[in-house]
Amino acid sequence: MSEYDVIVVGAGPVGENVADRAVRGGLTAALVERELVGGECSYWACMPSKALLRPGQALRAARAVAGSAEAVTGDLDVAAVLKRRNSFTHDWNDSSQADWVASAGIELVRGHGRLSGVKQVTVTAADGTETVLTARHAVVLSTGSDALVPDVEGLRAARPWTSREATEAQHVPESLAIIGGGVVATEMATAYASFGCAVTLIARSGLLGGMEPFAGEAVAKGLRDLGATVRLNTGITRVSRSDSGVTVETSDGEPVTAAEVLVATGRTPRTGDLGLDTVGLTPGDWLHTDDTMLVTGYDWLYATGDVNHRALLTHQGKYQARAAGDVIAARAAGAPVADQPWGRHVATADHRAVPQVVFTDPEVAAVGLTEHAARAAEYDIRVIDYEIGNVAGASVHADGYAGTARMVVDEQRKILLGVTFVGPDVSELLQSATIAVVGEVPLERLWHAVPAYPTISEIWLRLLETYGR
């Protein structure tokens, strides 16, 4: 039996950050991982997906500016794109990440970790050997989530792709049917359409639900411009695979045939085989926490990242991890805990200040509340829209630049509740919006944040001018 101050189950970027912050706070930490150190983000999500998307984005950007457009004479070299993607995953070898764990003073324990009692984790190695770890202070569950495959007749038997197969593929199929309308669905539709694959996206409603409606509408148009077929408000009734490919039968009676089918309909918590029942929790459930990441009803069990269902985004999980690692160290030392809103030891931003980028064409970048969410929360709001293409910097950035910006203003406090940008390269505008929302910067003060000319950031001035002074 081995003893540590903190045991973290799951060595993705979230778990790594928890362990690192705990060690920096003077504690000992063990990090348990059954797959690759670096987790989903490093090998099957954030990094490989963006590596697949970036070359097409760069090529379209060059073609959108007269002068460079004439110099671009070829299409994407798909083999080179896949090779570059492989470099980001180190060919799915985690030795460099494992080296970092060791250099940070964290003990790496390879195997499947399961709770086996209060402050106790049993790790089963690949050869079946079991090791029991005990924690003096805390166990942190950072096991993430898996792709959800809905219970549609024939779907599971058809061996569908999930986000993992889509991001690790070593060849591009001639055709791909995508079931879903969220971030994974739209990003992978963008990437594969860029590769020359015949993409059909089938969404039960619209695209990017939960974001401003104009975002999904712009992305649907962008996909169609890339040659993809986008079928909205369409359900799936049955899926079958034959030697010739996959057939997806739909609610409108028009089936889709493709070489492969990708399911991108959401996520499910990776808690089914985590030993939750040994401590009175239900296997397969999301783990609910307070803002310090303590699981409700426990004083030693924490949950960070996707598994707590607060904000299923890597950057937000790492934010939670920093708070959790620091608060575990503080509690272990008997030091004061700053658990008031926006304090050092809480993840307050999870509630209403979550930034997110969708790397489609056009990009979507948003933070905070949408108009619908703000009205549902009964804020007194005013909504300001402005066409980004009318900004001088945007016209220089790309010929025929098209995009939309929206800010949602709390009329009582005169601060921003949410901001959404849709257009080429708007992801780089997001941090300024996030600072404005998190900092609750008064509009009167924002007038003094003068954007450089001519940049796309001048959209801030145009939004403020439209609002009025």
Side-chain angles (χ1 to χ4, degrees):
M1 183 178 293
S2 300
E3 191 173 54
Y4 302 87
D5 291 323
V6 183
I7 300 168
V8 182
V9 183
V14 178
E16 288 175 331
N17 271 270
V18 175
D20 184 44
R21 296 304 304 181
V23 168
R24 289 171 182 264
L27 304 182
T28 60
L31 191 57
V32 181
E33 179 53 55
R34 67 182 177 89
E35 290 189 296
L36 297 177
V37 178
E40 205 79 15
C41 178
S42 298
Y43 304 101
W44 299 286
C46 319
M47 296 308 295
S49 67
K50 283 23 173 209
L52 291 175
L53 285 157
R54 176 57 186 162
Q57 182 187 50
L59 180 59
R60 289 188 293 275
R63 288 174 170 167
V65 180
S68 64
E70 288 74 10
V72 178
T73 57
D75 293 322
L76 281 182
D77 184 329
V78 177
V81 173
L82 299 180
K83 182 178 179 180
R84 181 174 185 264
R85 183 275 319 275
N86 291 350
S87 73
F88 279 93
T89 65
H90 301 280
D91 292 309
W92 289 269
N93 181 301
D94 68 354
S95 58
S96 63
Q97 299 248 28
D99 289 344
W100 175 85
V101 170
S103 72
I106 303 164
E107 184 76 17
L108 176 61
V109 182
R110 291 191 181 269
H112 187 100
R114 300 176 181 86
L115 292 169
S116 49
V118 175
K119 297 183 182 179
Q120 183 174 289
V121 175
T122 297
V123 182
T124 305
D127 62 4
T129 304
E130 289 191 347
T131 303
V132 178
L133 310 178
T134 59
R136 299 183 189 93
H137 298 292
V139 174
V140 186
L141 303 179
S142 303
T143 50
S145 62
D146 290 309
L148 172 66
V149 179
D151 188 18
V152 172
E153 182 183 351
L155 180 56
R156 291 171 185 158
R159 305 183 306 281
W161 281 11
T162 66
S163 54
R164 282 199 169 196
E165 288 77 18
T167 54
E168 71 181 6
Q170 296 301 318
H171 75 280
V172 175
E174 290 185 4
S175 54
L176 178 65
I178 300 177
I179 302 172
V183 175
V184 172
T186 54
E187 288 190 345
M188 289 300 94
T190 301
Y192 278 81
S194 300
F195 301 154
C197 176
V199 172
T200 301
L201 186 147
I202 309 163
R204 184 174 55 187
S205 53
L207 301 186
L208 302 179
M211 305 189 90
E212 297 287 6
F214 64 82
E217 292 164 5
V219 169
K221 180 182 182 302
L223 286 172
R224 290 181 175 119
D225 289 346
L226 286 174
T229 299
V230 179
R231 293 173 60 175
L232 305 179
N233 304 306
T234 304
I236 304 301
T237 59
R238 186 175 180 273
V239 180
S240 59
R241 182 182 285 273
S242 65
D243 292 342
S244 60
V246 180
T247 299
V248 179
E249 297 180 19
T250 64
S251 59
D252 61 13
E254 296 183 18
V256 175
T257 58
E260 296 291 348
V261 58
L262 164 62
V263 178
T265 54
R267 309 290 295 181
T268 186
R270 198 175 287 158
T271 60
D273 191 17
L274 201 51
L276 295 185
D277 53 316
T278 67
V279 296
L281 293 167
T282 303
D285 279 359
W286 299 102
L287 298 171
H288 302 291
T289 71
D290 67 13
D291 278 0
T292 69
M293 302 301 111
L294 262 178
V295 174
T296 305
Y298 297 79
D299 63 2
W300 59 273
L301 184 63
Y302 294 74
T304 54
D306 280 13
V307 77
N308 64 32
H309 208 229
R310 290 168 65 97
L312 277 66
L313 296 160
T314 296
H315 50 271
Q316 215 66 23
K318 292 164 70 174
Y319 161 70
Q320 297 169 9
R322 293 188 290 271
D326 286 350
V327 79
I328 290 168
R331 285 170 172 154
V337 171
D339 58 0
Q340 73 281 6
W342 307 110
R344 175 184 176 185
H345 298 130
V346 292
T348 307
D350 283 350
H351 300 298
R352 289 181 178 171
V354 175
Q356 182 173 14
V357 176
V358 187
F359 291 89
T360 45
D361 187 355
E363 287 183 346
V364 179
V367 62
L369 301 182
T370 62
E371 176 185 2
H372 175 78
R375 293 193 190 283
E378 299 185 343
Y379 283 101
D380 175 17
I381 65 169
R382 184 177 168 197
V383 176
I384 301 298
D385 291 345
Y386 197 88
E387 292 304 306
I388 304 176
N390 293 336
V391 172
S395 64
V396 172
H397 187 83
D399 298 338
Y401 189 108
T404 302
R406 168 172 290 181
M407 67 180 190
V408 179
V409 179
D410 179 342
E411 287 289 84
Q412 298 300 313
R413 294 180 292 166
K414 300 297 182 182
I415 62 170
L416 298 182
L417 295 172
V419 182
T420 297
F421 302 110
V422 177
D425 300 314
V426 293
S427 55
E428 297 304 329
L429 295 173
L430 187 57
Q431 184 62 6
S432 56
T434 302
I435 291 169
V437 171
V438 171
E440 298 183 344
V441 181
L443 295 188
E444 282 301 314
R445 180 59 64 88
L446 278 180
W447 276 94
H448 297 279
V450 183
Y453 182 87
T455 65
I456 302 176
S457 290
E458 195 182 9
I459 185 62
W460 282 107
L461 176 58
R462 302 305 172 214
L463 286 167
L464 290 170
E465 286 177 335
T466 303
Y467 180 84
R469 194 171 191 176

